[in-house]
Amino acid sequence: MLNLNLFKNIGFPLYLFIYLIIPHSAITETLKVDFIRNLENSLNKRDLEFIRKNFRNNENQNIPKQFSKIVNDFPDSKWKLKRLKSNIPNKELLRIKVSGEKIVNGEMHILESNFDYIFSILNGKIDESNIKNLFTTIRNDDKKIDIIFKIPDKVLTGSKYDIDIILDKPLEEVIIAGAIKPHQINSFFEQEILLEPLPSGGIFKMTRAPSKPGIQIWSGIIAHPEGMITFTKSIDVVDEI
């Protein structure tokens, strides 16, 4: 049985990939296969000076700082990049996957993050970048928890929509705890989420999208006798679908 006293009135850090690193070759403003390969290598080699030189404005300080936090929490994290065709004029699109493992108190924590990175190039440097379709999990259950995430990728402005985090296996006498909340935009990496008992076997929430287009981010946690799962999901809020 899960001892809920362990989680009462405490917060749990969630690692949110809101600012991530995509260095750029100043030789050309057209991405090529060699560039993607070199870019991927630079990320995996932790070449922070290269990154600073290839971002414009304040991002050349903020992004390396956030990247360093990711590397500190998951020193062996691996980055995989794939270029996709962008349907936004004058924008580049990369599909990025980040994975890593870390042992904490004898337990293996596994990081998996997938997202699209969209940016423009101005004077040979990355500019006006943003992240879409973000989904990140950190879990220490060795994939023993059979969990289903039903969170939309895109919703209409002002519309109601459902967020369902479902444990597929019947709980019987097992007690779980968890919570979900909107992510605070200015809190790049950590925020506290207070756990509550979940007698229904998951998180089931109906919410409403903001009235203006943008990105809404949700962060949450599931605590189970087999382990914990934290998650972060971004949702595009648009005028039309």
Side-chain angles (χ1 to χ4, degrees):
M1 299 291 290
L2 179 68
N3 184 357
L4 293 180
N5 291 327
L6 294 175
F7 306 107
K8 186 177 181 181
N9 296 325
I10 64 172
F12 195 87
L14 300 182
Y15 302 87
L16 308 174
F17 293 83
I18 310 304
Y19 282 101
L20 292 167
I21 318 310
I22 310 297
H24 171 66
S25 169
I27 297 176
T28 174
E29 295 198 359
T30 301
L31 295 181
K32 297 181 179 180
V33 174
D34 287 345
F35 163 74
I36 299 297
R37 186 181 302 114
N38 293 336
L39 171 55
E40 185 176 276
N41 289 338
S42 296
L43 287 168
N44 286 315
K45 290 179 180 179
R46 325 303 191 205
D47 191 349
L48 296 182
E49 186 59 31
F50 180 82
I51 293 167
R52 291 189 184 97
K53 290 180 179 179
N54 288 279
F55 276 85
R56 284 175 47 81
N57 303 323
N58 293 333
E59 286 189 333
N60 64 10
Q61 296 296 324
N62 292 334
I63 293 178
K65 181 179 179 181
Q66 304 306 327
F67 179 62
S68 296
K69 290 183 180 180
I70 299 172
V71 173
N72 182 65
D73 286 313
F74 288 90
D76 72 338
S77 58
K78 305 298 182 185
W79 300 67
K80 292 184 178 180
L81 280 62
K82 181 179 180 181
R83 187 190 181 191
L84 301 179
K85 184 178 180 180
S86 173
N87 57 6
I88 305 174
N90 302 316
K91 290 286 188 176
E92 298 286 352
L93 171 60
L94 295 177
R95 176 70 48 80
I96 300 180
K97 179 178 181 179
V98 186
S99 59
E101 297 180 349
K102 183 179 181 180
I103 297 177
V104 180
N105 296 327
E107 296 181 339
M108 178 67 74
H109 290 70
I110 298 176
L111 161 72
E112 292 183 358
S113 182
N114 295 276
F115 58 94
D116 294 337
Y117 192 84
I118 302 170
F119 60 96
S120 59
I121 300 171
L122 182 62
N123 297 326
K125 293 186 178 182
I126 295 292
D127 190 51
E128 297 182 350
S129 60
N130 60 78
I131 287 174
K132 290 190 175 184
N133 302 322
L134 167 73
F135 182 55
T136 297
T137 61
I138 300 174
R139 54 197 298 173
N140 66 350
D141 65 317
D142 196 25
K143 298 293 182 74
K144 293 178 181 178
I145 302 174
D146 191 0
I147 190 167
I148 300 172
F149 295 91
K150 291 187 176 181
I151 307 175
D153 294 324
K154 186 180 297 185
V155 297
L156 287 171
T157 52
S159 65
K160 291 183 178 179
Y161 65 94
D162 293 322
I163 295 175
D164 296 329
I165 316 299
I166 306 166
L167 272 75
D168 199 33
K169 185 178 179 180
L171 292 177
E172 299 176 353
E173 298 300 320
V174 172
I175 298 176
I176 63 171
I180 187 170
K181 68 183 294 185
H183 175 66
Q184 302 300 314
I185 297 299
N186 292 325
S187 176
F188 295 126
F189 273 81
E190 298 181 4
Q191 67 174 3
E192 290 188 344
I193 295 182
L194 301 182
L195 293 173
E196 298 178 354
L198 298 175
S200 60
I203 297 173
F204 303 91
K205 181 179 181 64
M206 176 178 285
T207 188
R208 185 180 294 277
S211 59
K212 296 181 179 180
I215 295 178
Q216 191 170 32
I217 301 172
W218 290 91
S219 300
I221 178 172
I222 294 287
H224 187 282
E226 295 288 357
M228 282 191 178
I229 302 174
T230 66
F231 58 90
T232 302
K233 179 73 172 71
S234 71
I235 300 172
D236 283 347
V237 181
V238 298
D239 283 330
E240 59 181 31
I241 295 180

